[in-house]
Amino acid sequence: QVQLAESGGGLVQAGGSLRLSCAASGRTFSRSAMGWFRQSSGTEREYVASINWRSTVTDYGASVKGRFTTSRDNAKNTVYLQMNSLKPEDTAVYYCAARLGLMSSVANEYEYWGQGTQVTVSS
């Protein structure tokens, strides 16, 4: 079992930056691939980024590539999402998710989810 809790969301102006954190508990975190997804009202959950358990591989959705960076610190049981050059269209609730095994960009392949944190980007 893995429990996840996101933090770091808030209101920021376009062009600004935010760093989201996802604190995990549970013995299997260090062997879990982690993903970030986002969802705004009336839309489906969108893939943002993922990272493997050893931090050797990362992957990004097309809409955030080059602006967002994900990383993790297994000693602290935490995964991060650094978001730069934010745009109003990045406004959404951001979720972290965990799965044992390989990274994935498919939401329903993740077994554990946090409660989400709101990110609002003003123009």
Side-chain angles (χ1 to χ4, degrees), residues 2-96:
V2 178
Q3 293 80 43
L4 304 172
E6 303 92 339
S7 61
L11 174 64
V12 64
Q13 288 190 328
S17 298
L18 280 176
R19 188 175 81 155
L20 304 183
S21 298
C22 174
S25 60
R27 293 185 298 171
T28 57
F29 170 77
S30 62
R31 293 185 283 113
S32 297
M34 300 297 296
W36 289 95
F37 293 81
R38 66 187 183 186
Q39 189 169 22
S40 50
S41 59
T43 68
E44 294 187 355
R45 197 161 290 191
E46 178 189 7
Y47 171 68
V48 174
S50 59
I51 185 168
N52 70 342
W53 69 273
R54 292 187 294 176
S55 299
T56 54
V57 181
T58 56
D59 182 62
Y60 299 92
S63 61
V64 307
K65 193 171 293 184
R67 300 187 297 122
F68 291 12
T69 303
T70 189
S71 61
R72 65 191 293 168
D73 185 338
N74 286 345
K76 296 182 178 179
N77 278 10
T78 302
V79 63
Y80 305 98
L81 184 68
Q82 178 66 43
M83 306 186 294
N84 298 328
S85 302
L86 282 161
K87 305 174 182 180
E89 51 264 44
D90 294 318
T91 295
V93 177
Y94 283 72
Y95 300 89
C96 65

